[in-house]
Structure formats: C-alpha cells, structure tokens
Amino acid sequence: MGRLQIAPQALVCKNTIIEGDVQIGNGTVVHVGASILAKNGPIIIGSNNIISERATIINNHAHPLTIGDDNLIETDSRVEGRGMGHRNTVQVRGIIAGTSTLGNNCVVGAACTTDLAENVPDNTVLFGCPQARRMRADGNSDHLFMHKKHLEYIHEMLPRYNHIIEAE
Amino acid sequence: MSSASNTLISVLYHCPCNGATQSPGGLDTGVRVNSEGEEAVVPNASSNSELEAQLKLPLQPNSELLVLRASAIENLYYCDDCSELRCSRCVIEEPAGYHCPNCLFDVPTASVRSEKNCCARNCFQCPVCTHMLSVVETDTETRPFSFACSVCYWDSREIGWEFEKATGISPQIEAIKASDQQAKEYTSLLEYWRTVYRISATSAPTSTLGGHSVGGALKSRFGLSSGLAGNSASTAVIPPYQAAGYMDTDHTRVSQRMNIENVDTVPPLSADLTSIEPQRIRLHMKLARRCRSCHHILIKPESKAQATRFKIQLMAANFLPTITLPNRLSPKTPVLLPEMPLRVGKTVPLVLRFANPLYSEMRVTVAACAPEQDSHVEVVAQQFVLAPFTELWEYDEDEDEDSDGSSSGERSAGRQRGIVDRQGNRVAIQLNLTPKAVIDNLTVPLFVTCTHQDDMDMDTDAPASAPAGGDSSRRTVTNKFWVYISLGPTVQ
C-alpha cells in the first residue's frame, strides 16, 4: 500500500507522481512533474536533496532504493538500482541504469549513463560523448555552498508559486 | 513510417561548376537590352519539346558525385554580376576577422601571427576533455584561484597551477613555469652556450675553432680532462659551467644518451593525460566568400565577433525560386505527399511548390528529362508565371478574398492545367510520377528555366529619372539549372 512519509521541512509539490512506500527526508525539495515510483520496494530519500522536474526515481526491485543527503537530481534524469550516497549530481538526462549504485561525490554528466550493474566508486565523473570517466579531486566545498544557497532560494520561492503537499 | 522517409525527401540544386576552374559552362546568360524595347527570352510551348529532346543530364541521378555537385538551396550562393548560381566549391573563401570563441575578443590580424593563432588572454582548454576552462575561487588562504572544467571536473591544482589573482593569469603561469628546476637549468645552460659561441666567434672567426672550443668546454663540464688540452687560447677564457641547481648525476645514462646512433623504437605516449598542461584556445575565423570568376563579394560577415549578421548576403534563395515538396498547402487542405515508399508502376501525383523571392514577376519553365529506366515524369504545367514577392500585409487581403470561396474571375479564368494552387508569390504544380524500377533512392531530375526583368538601372550615364516616353534600360535575366528531387526508396 502506498505510504508517503514527508519530513516536516521537506517541500514536495502537489503535481508530482508519488506511488508506493516513499520516505522523504528533511529539507528535500521535489519539484513539479517529478516521479517517485516505489513499485516493488520502498524508496528512502535523505535530507537536503533537490529532485528536479521530470526526474524519475523508480524502484522495480524488492530491496529499498536509498538516496543519501545533499544530492542534486537534475531535469529529466532517471534513477534506478539501489540508489546513491551523498553529495552526488545526476545532470540533465543522466541515467543510473539497471541495478547500479552511485557512491559519494559523483557526477553523472548530461545524457551520460552508468553501466547496468556497477557500483560507481566515490568521486567518479562520467562525462562527454563518447562517454568517458575520470576521478575528480576532493574539495567540493564550493559546490556544497552553492547547493545550500540553491536550497534556501527554493524553499523561499517555491511555495509562492506551487501547491505543496502539507506534511502531517 | 512516413516521418522517417520524409528525411530522405530533398530537393537539390545542381551547380555546373568544375570546382577548381574559373567559370562554369555557359548555361545561362543575362541578355542586355537597349532602351528600344524589352525582349523577353522565354521559350514558348512549341519549342519546349525541342528543349526536352535536347536536354542532357549533367549527372546521372544515381551518381555518387551528386553529393558534391548538388546541394540544397540553403547552401548555395548567387553572383548577381555574373547572374549565375554559385556553390561552395566555386567560391573563394578569405578570412574576414579572427576571434576567440571563449572570450569573444576580436583579435587584430597582426596579433594573430605573433600569438600563433591562439588567444592571448586567460582562455585555456581542459587537457582531459578540451572544454573551456574557467577561473574558480576556493577558500584556501594562499593562492585561492585555479582553473576548473565544468564538464569533467578537472582542476588545475592537479598539476600545481594555483593563482593569487583571478586576472592576468598569463604572467602567473610564466612565474610557475619559471620556478621549475629543470626549466631554470635549461635557460642557464642556453645562456652559457650562447656566451661560448659569442666568445669563440669573436676571438677566432673560423669555423674549426668553434668546434674546438666547444669540445674543450664539454670536457671541462664533465671534468674528464683539463680544458687547456686544446691549442686555442679561447678555451682558457671560458670558465667551466656551473650547474644552476639541477644536476643529473646518472652519468652512464647521460653518456648513453649523448652517444645515441640509431633510434629504433619510440617510447609510447604516457597514459597519464592529467599531467599535460592546458593549451591555449585556438582562434576562430570568420570567412567572406567571393565569386571565383568576377571576384564580386557574395558573403561578407560583420567583423565584430558577437555580430551574427552579414553586411553582404547574396544567397541563391534570394534570386532563384525555392522549390519544395509541401506536405500540405495549408492547415485545412489534405496531405499532398504521396504515400511512401513509392510503388513501381503506380502513377502518383507529385506536387512541387515554387516560390518567387524577387520583387518582379518571374516566368518559369519546367522540363523533365526523357524517360529513363528509373522513372517516368510527366510535367503537366510546363510553363507558368510567378507573381512577385510583396509585403505581408497585402497577403492577408488576398487570402481573405480566396477563402471567401467566391470565384474571383481572374483565378478561375486564368486557371492553367496542372497548377494546383496559386497563393501570392507561390505556385504549386503537379507532376505525374511513375517509378519504373526498384531502387534505393529514386531521384527525379528536372530542368528549370526562370526569367525575369531586372529593374535596376545599370547605366550610370543615363539620367536617374527616366524621361517621359523613353524606357530605362532593363535587363532580362535568365537562369537555367537542374534540380534533383530525391524521393526515397521504391518498392515493388
């Protein structure tokens, strides 16, 4: 049975498609048109994530799909598999396919896709066409700062223009 | 799927140039007429069949050369001096300005050569993905700025490039490179040998002595023998070289390298790409195009980098009729394109639409080639007149009249057989096409002749305002060209 648990500070728009057993953590923003489909197993989303328009998070397996904190899932992307860690970015039309997972601090570039069943190690960057990958150096502080600013801005502006699901 | 096969349908215009040589074969001329009268050069109906019989295809429809010689009208130019079609193979390209694609700075031509075609400012390319680097700031205390790539997330800290200021990166890079031990050693070595050469050249101006003193200095560098073994006094003057900081102590390897006679193998490229330094970004050129025969400028872009307009823009679409295969004539009329793929033996009506870009009337003659093995085309309307192009607000009036459904006398009376539709400056004609063989890409060649009166006053001697009763000299311009219409595959 569908059970949607939204943490008090989360911001989930009404025009989203959320099915099944879904937990959304504190501060997370789910934009209009996003789909979170817990078809067979539950989906657990951490705190301070940004899930953009037309993003699809879908769990076709029985095991839970876990998304950590501070992730950015951009427009029209697709997340399957077992989920991801913290501070990742899935760029526009990026795909995490099959049963793959993402570690921490990774970047799936625009229109890039992981393999069907791999655990992408931390700090990996998938980019380019033809697709290549490399490891990035640490030092993500600038990006985290921007992410926080982005979140604050959304929390301020989104409720003015969209209907939000009231958390119980 | 009809949408997939639509991508195969195209109308290509053939340019009869030879590419490398001067002017194309004389297919068309502009007939200059004196002020006595106007002469229209239009083949009338009886000579059209003769025309058809004389027509010789420049290129067979299935020739591979068609890709080179024929292109869509968007890619073609027109020289109004020669009154001829020009393609990209028969124009001369020349640079009209250089700019950096990153910072959009217009580089003066003199600097282009000195900077080796690269941007002299802070524009660098990522060594991993060749994307443009941007300067980012982090909150480390010393040297907070560095280059970062937004695509592959490469940072210049990985090779040790960190900067104190965000601007003026070039001198900071020089400073970093200069502090490199090996680079310092190299420059001091260079200075040393330069002084050696200078001294030896001035003291004894014969070439053999130069060799002697070099040998002497070499020996003293390695301490193998005393520098005074040579018989020239110059070697005593030069002190032996002192290493500036970097000394390679592996003597065997050095002497091996110095005595290399054959080089049989080349070491492989290192796979570690991130140690390569960022390259400067190459400049882009803006090109101007000239007619190959008369050197008239056809395309001239504005030299400012940000401007996308053109000062001079002589395109074929502004002088020759644009021929298309419309899907439907207007949103309410039925679909005109025949069902794809075409079937052998089945005659389908093919509708071609001609649009007149000029401000004067144009007479068009369409002729199909003699029947060949691939298809048979019957051109119903062989000759017709295209109205001139007028401003848009006049069109609205025309459409209101037509949509009323009233039989405006002109329209129904002057209705020519084979003309499907006439709207403003456009005419849609019907061809009956019968494919005859199963081939991959059915191409139908048509020979189009268009004539119009050019109203420009060519004579500068003639008075600007035409005197009453006299005619300003007009020019009749005729353009003849082959059009190849691709229609996709045919099936049984």
Side-chain angles (χ1 to χ4, degrees):
Chain A
M1 257 312 300
R3 204 172 55 111
L4 173 59
Q5 279 183 319
I6 307 180
Q9 306 299 323
L11 220 58
V12 180
C13 292
K14 270 199 179 148
N15 297 335
T16 53
I17 304 172
I18 304 185
E19 292 175 5
D21 195 357
V22 176
Q23 283 180 37
I24 300 183
N26 245 338
T28 296
V29 177
V30 181
H31 279 265
V32 183
S35 313
I36 307 179
L37 309 166
K39 296 249 176 199
N40 285 342
I43 294 182
I44 303 162
I45 301 181
S47 60
N48 292 328
N49 296 297
I50 299 176
I51 300 169
S52 306
E53 291 86 348
R54 291 175 68 105
T56 308
I57 304 175
I58 181 165
N59 189 5
N60 282 319
H61 316 280
H63 53 70
L65 193 159
T66 321
I67 294 182
D69 307 329
D70 296 314
N71 296 297
L72 170 61
I73 301 174
E74 288 190 10
T75 314
D76 213 8
S77 52
R78 189 177 172 88
V79 176
E80 301 172 343
R82 296 189 113 109
M84 61 179 78
H86 311 289
R87 296 181 304 275
N88 299 299
T89 304
V90 181
Q91 287 183 355
V92 180
R93 296 219 169 147
I95 299 177
I96 302 178
T99 56
S100 303
T101 59
L102 222 52
N104 299 319
N105 239 351
C106 299
V107 176
V108 177
C112 294
T113 153
T114 62
D115 289 336
L116 279 179
E118 64 166 323
N119 293 330
V120 179
D122 289 358
N123 294 321
T124 312
V125 178
L126 304 178
F127 67 96
C129 177
Q131 190 173 313
R133 64 170 65 187
R134 63 180 294 268
M135 296 302 182
R136 76 197 276 199
D138 268 330
N140 212 3
S141 53
D142 191 38
H143 169 68
L144 271 181
F145 179 68
M146 296 306 297
H147 187 84
K148 243 198 227 140
K149 285 274 175 195
H150 192 181
L151 263 177
E152 280 173 20
Y153 180 77
I154 295 181
H155 275 278
E156 198 186 306
M157 300 299 277
L158 199 68
R160 296 193 202 174
Y161 301 100
N162 290 296
H163 296 289
I164 310 288
I165 299 180
E166 298 291 330
E168 300 90 32
Chain B
M1 302 278 283
S2 63
S3 57
S5 61
N6 274 358
T7 56
L8 295 173
I9 296 178
S10 59
V11 177
L12 300 178
Y13 291 61
H14 176 259
C15 177
C17 67
N18 291 332
T21 60
Q22 283 261 331
S23 53
L27 260 196
D28 54 316
T29 48
V31 175
R32 178 81 194 226
V33 177
N34 295 351
S35 45
E36 286 161 11
E38 298 147 23
E39 234 180 323
V41 181
V42 176
N44 49 18
S46 61
S47 67
N48 213 29
S49 47
E50 296 162 12
L51 190 65
E52 271 200 17
Q54 292 166 18
L55 283 182
K56 220 181 66 146
L57 264 185
L59 267 187
Q60 289 305 314
N62 53 358
S63 157
E64 288 96 7
L65 283 179
L66 205 59
V67 174
L68 286 178
R69 301 266 175 86
S71 33
I73 197 172
E74 299 92 46
N75 303 335
L76 295 171
Y77 314 100
Y78 184 86
C79 179
D80 55 355
D81 262 4
C82 311
S83 298
E84 279 173 15
L85 188 63
R86 292 277 176 256
C87 66
S88 57
R89 294 168 76 231
C90 53
V91 294
I92 302 174
E93 291 184 347
E94 51 190 30
Y98 299 85
H99 64 271
C100 168
N102 190 24
C103 55
L104 289 184
F105 174 65
D106 293 299
V107 184
T109 326
S111 314
V112 170
R113 178 80 197 251
S114 62
E115 297 288 336
K116 301 192 191 91
N117 300 353
C118 292
C119 186
R121 299 154 143 221
N122 303 342
C123 299
F124 286 83
Q125 224 177 343
C126 173
V128 176
C129 65
T130 69
H131 195 249
M132 293 169 183
L133 292 176
S134 51
V135 181
V136 295
E137 184 178 355
T138 55
D139 41 354
T140 46
E141 286 165 8
T142 58
R143 300 167 13 131
F145 298 98
S146 63
F147 278 132
C149 175
S150 56
V151 170
C152 68
Y153 287 75
W154 178 85
D155 197 294
S156 67
R157 285 178 204 280
E158 298 180 26
I159 55 166
W161 279 18
E162 296 168 341
F163 311 115
E164 286 160 9
K165 299 183 300 171
T167 54
I169 301 278
S170 296
Q172 299 184 61
I173 292 177
E174 296 295 315
I176 290 176
K177 286 199 201 172
S179 63
D180 180 23
Q181 284 286 1
Q182 292 191 341
K184 265 199 243 177
E185 190 64 38
Y186 178 74
T187 42
S188 74
L189 265 174
L190 208 58
E191 275 310 307
Y192 175 72
W193 290 117
R194 282 208 182 108
T195 49
V196 164
Y197 181 72
R198 210 173 35 241
I199 291 173
S200 68
T202 51
S203 66
T206 60
S207 53
T208 48
L209 258 174
H212 267 241
S213 59
V214 165
L218 241 184
K219 289 188 182 144
S220 66
R221 161 74 177 96
F222 283 103
L224 290 177
S225 61
S226 153
L228 295 171
N231 57 353
S232 59
S234 56
T235 45
V237 176
I238 302 163
Y241 177 76
Q242 300 294 333
Y246 174 83
M247 183 124 76
D248 195 341
T249 47
D250 190 354
H251 289 299
T252 38
R253 187 183 69 130
V254 171
S255 52
Q256 228 176 30
R257 290 271 172 91
M258 303 243 330
N259 297 326
I260 282 181
E261 306 255 318
N262 303 320
V263 180
D264 292 324
T265 57
V266 178
L269 253 185
S270 166
D272 182 17
L273 286 174
T274 54
S275 62
I276 295 179
E277 288 176 357
Q279 304 277 315
R280 293 214 128 107
I281 285 187
R282 293 288 167 99
L283 298 174
H284 281 193
M285 251 195 326
K286 274 198 176 188
L287 288 175
R289 280 145 182 111
R290 277 180 195 272
C291 172
R292 205 181 281 266
S293 32
C294 67
H295 295 282
H296 189 63
I297 293 186
L298 303 177
I299 301 280
K300 187 168 180 138
E302 279 192 27
S303 42
K304 267 179 55 167
Q306 304 96 307
T308 52
R309 291 176 304 161
F310 294 89
K311 283 188 210 161
I312 302 176
Q313 200 182 8
L314 295 176
M315 306 190 302
N318 293 345
F319 293 89
L320 299 177
T322 308
I323 304 173
T324 52
L325 292 161
N327 196 20
R328 49 175 94 223
L329 288 173
S330 68
K332 299 183 204 99
T333 54
V335 174
L336 292 172
L337 273 181
E339 218 181 78
M340 296 293 167
L342 299 168
R343 302 195 165 278
V344 172
K346 184 160 170 256
T347 305
V348 288
L350 196 65
V351 175
L352 279 182
R353 182 183 247 162
F354 287 72
N356 178 12
L358 303 166
Y359 287 107
S360 51
E361 214 178 57
M362 186 186 266
R363 282 184 181 276
V364 178
T365 308
V366 179
C369 214
E372 13 158 325
Q373 63 272 33
D374 285 343
S375 62
H376 173 58
V377 177
E378 185 205 340
V379 181
V380 184
Q382 289 175 338
Q383 202 182 319
F384 48 91
V385 173
L386 287 174
F389 175 69
T390 51
E391 300 307 306
L392 212 53
W393 61 272
E394 287 190 44
Y395 271 131
D396 289 350
E397 288 185 33
D398 276 309
E399 280 185 30
D400 284 342
E401 287 173 22
D402 287 356
S403 61
D404 278 347
S406 61
S407 57
S408 50
E410 192 181 329
R411 201 161 152 249
S412 49
R415 197 172 188 109
Q416 204 177 325
R417 215 183 117 249
I419 291 188
V420 171
D421 185 64
R422 188 186 284 273
Q423 261 181 22
N425 68 331
R426 298 177 298 179
V427 160
I429 64 164
Q430 174 169 323
L431 280 75
N432 295 326
L433 171 70
T434 316
K436 277 193 189 165
V438 178
I439 43 178
D440 283 338
N441 196 8
L442 175 66
T443 309
V444 175
L446 290 176
F447 189 64
V448 178
T449 312
C450 33
T451 311
H452 69 270
Q453 306 285 359
D454 195 5
D455 279 337
M456 308 275 285
D457 266 7
M458 299 304 291
D459 264 349
T460 48
D461 297 343
S465 55
D471 292 324
S472 56
S473 69
R474 291 167 148 220
R475 198 167 71 120
T476 302
V477 176
T478 305
N479 287 109
K480 306 178 192 173
F481 50 91
W482 280 95
V483 173
Y484 289 82
I485 303 176
S486 299
L487 292 166
T490 53
V491 295
Q492 200 58 45

